[in-house]
Amino acid sequence: MDIKEIIQPENLVHKRTPLMTDATLSYCPGCGHGTAHHLVMEVIEEMGIQQDTIGIAPVGCSVLAYDFMDIDMSQAAHGRAPAVATGIKRLWPEKYVFTYQGDGDLAAIGTAETIHACNRGENIVIIFINNGIYGMTGGQMAPTTLEGMKSSTTPYGRDAKQMGHPLKITELVAQLPGTYYVTRQAVHKAGNVRKTRKAIMKAFEVQRDKKGLAFVEIVSNCNSGWKMTPNESNEWMEEHMFPFYPLGDIKVEGKIVKDLLKELM
Amino acid sequence: MGKMRGAIVVDTERCKGCEVCIVNCPTDTIGMAEEVNGKGYHYAYMKHPENCTGCANCAIVCPDGVITVYRVKTEK
């Protein structure tokens, strides 16, 4: 069979979602941000809620998310996306509101906003991209940087005695009564992408059913910040990030499903 | 049982040559072109088009969403 016979409109199985604009993504080659963007937009497309969704772009690499996502979006001050989302959702309870934040935004400068939005149980979705580094500003240490991990501000590796321990903010918010669905996923392999898509879908369904806050962490790579090729960084992530940030659901239907104490040991 | 045949179309000008699709392709279909696009990146192309089953793994992991996938069931 000739390739031209296969490439026919009736045989189409996957194409770029029209909810992503034609703007070229500003991310480095191989960055998980792009995959995560597409997933969020695919879910919104599948649920048919493009007209009813408001996204909050953070400060960080994904600061330009409003250029790429063809939905209504607002920009928040650094770390304040959950606070802005709270305001929008309370004024427009029938709209779908989500924040899209990186680890420097959500787990460092926005820790207070994150924890209090989760504790209040605001009916929003938080998409949290964790790559263990401040990507946009040049690969500085973030709260999520692993122990011993090199960054531009920890050239000899993160020393817990001097710089503190890496922060598992997802496990932290899972313990708050306001969160209804908390999960950690990845987007570097096709299987993980499919699971992440399901998780994001579930998060938006939690919001639709007004159950509480849904928090989806996506462990991602930062090949530029980690000074690796995209595939090397994905392997490094599997080897080093996943043992500390294990994938899977943490809280489902308001109940913690993972033995957190065991994992924190 | 019918065999799945697939094909991909790569938006070469948007491809950033990250090669994530290559490691996610279970059938060794995709390779990187010798040529570069307008931005100077080597872009993905079907190196072994006869291998493609249209599983769409490459397309869903592509960070820039440049891959369109087609699939057809053959009678053989």
Side-chain angles (χ1 to χ4, degrees), chain A residues 106-107 111-112 114-116 118-119 128 166-179 182 184 215 217 250-251 256 260 264:
Chain A
L106 181 141
T111 319
T114 306
I115 288 182
H116 286 293
C118 291
N119 198 36
F128 166 40
L167 178 62
K168 289 185 178 185
I169 190 119
T170 309
E171 272 84 352
L172 203 73
V173 299
Q175 295 171 54
L176 302 172
T179 50
V182 180
R184 180 183 285 124
F215 191 101
E217 171 178 346
I250 296 166
K251 193 175 190 182
I256 291 179
L260 296 182
L264 289 172

Side-chain angles (χ1 to χ4, degrees), chain A residues 1 3 6-8 11-16 22-23 25 27 29-31 34-35 38 188-190 193-194 230-231, chain B residues 5-7 9 14 16 18-20 23-24 39 41 49 54-55 57 59-61 63-65 68-72:
Chain A
M1 185 179 264
I3 297 296
I6 304 174
I7 302 175
Q8 294 295 334
N11 298 333
L12 181 76
V13 283
H14 188 282
K15 72 174 177 62
R16 182 183 160 90
D22 288 336
L25 294 176
Y27 306 116
C31 176
T35 321
H38 282 93
H188 67 303
K189 288 266 161 72
V193 172
R194 292 193 171 95
N231 284 326
Chain B
R5 280 292 309 273
V9 176
R14 296 178 76 100
K16 291 178 185 163
C18 69
E19 305 185 11
V20 173
V23 296
N24 273 285
K39 292 198 185 73
Y41 294 121
C55 70
N57 277 7
I60 63 171
V61 296
D64 293 278
T68 309
V69 185
Y70 297 88
R71 180 169 60 214
V72 69

Side-chain angles (χ1 to χ4, degrees), chain A residues 170-236:
Chain A
T170 309
E171 272 84 352
L172 203 73
V173 299
Q175 295 171 54
L176 302 172
T179 50
Y180 187 79
Y181 177 55
V182 180
T183 187
R184 180 183 285 124
Q185 304 292 342
V187 289
H188 67 303
K189 288 266 161 72
N192 294 101
V193 172
R194 292 193 171 95
K195 280 185 196 161
T196 308
R197 195 174 191 279
K198 275 186 195 149
I200 296 173
M201 178 73 92
K202 195 167 172 180
F204 276 93
E205 284 168 0
V206 165
Q207 181 170 168
R208 180 191 63 200
D209 301 339
K210 299 187 170 42
K211 294 281 179 57
L213 191 139
F215 191 101
V216 181
E217 171 178 346
I218 298 170
V219 183
S220 181
N221 60 342
C222 178
N223 37 291
S224 300
W226 297 354
K227 318 270 182 252
M228 296 175 200
T229 68
N231 284 326
E232 275 170 15
S233 72
N234 283 337
E235 281 168 24
W236 191 92

Side-chain angles (χ1 to χ4, degrees), chain A residues 80-177:
Chain A
R80 274 68 194 178
V84 175
T86 299
I88 292 175
K89 183 70 184 177
R90 285 188 178 198
L91 282 169
W92 263 325
E94 74 282 5
K95 299 280 184 195
Y96 291 83
V97 181
F98 74 92
T99 75
Y100 184 100
Q101 300 176 266
D103 49 347
D105 190 69
L106 181 141
I109 193 160
T111 319
E113 281 75 10
T114 306
I115 288 182
H116 286 293
C118 291
N119 198 36
R120 290 192 305 268
E122 297 296 340
N123 196 19
I124 56 173
V125 172
I126 295 180
I127 312 278
F128 166 40
I129 310 293
N130 176 7
N131 54 17
I133 211 162
Y134 280 90
M136 186 208 210
T137 47
Q140 289 87 356
M141 184 188 78
T144 44
T145 302
L146 300 175
E147 256 184 75
M149 184 172 165
K150 284 182 185 171
S151 68
S152 61
T153 45
T154 57
Y156 305 109
R158 182 177 187 163
D159 174 13
K161 271 188 190 149
Q162 203 187 345
M163 299 142 189
H165 296 275
L167 178 62
K168 289 185 178 185
I169 190 119
T170 309
E171 272 84 352
L172 203 73
V173 299
Q175 295 171 54
L176 302 172

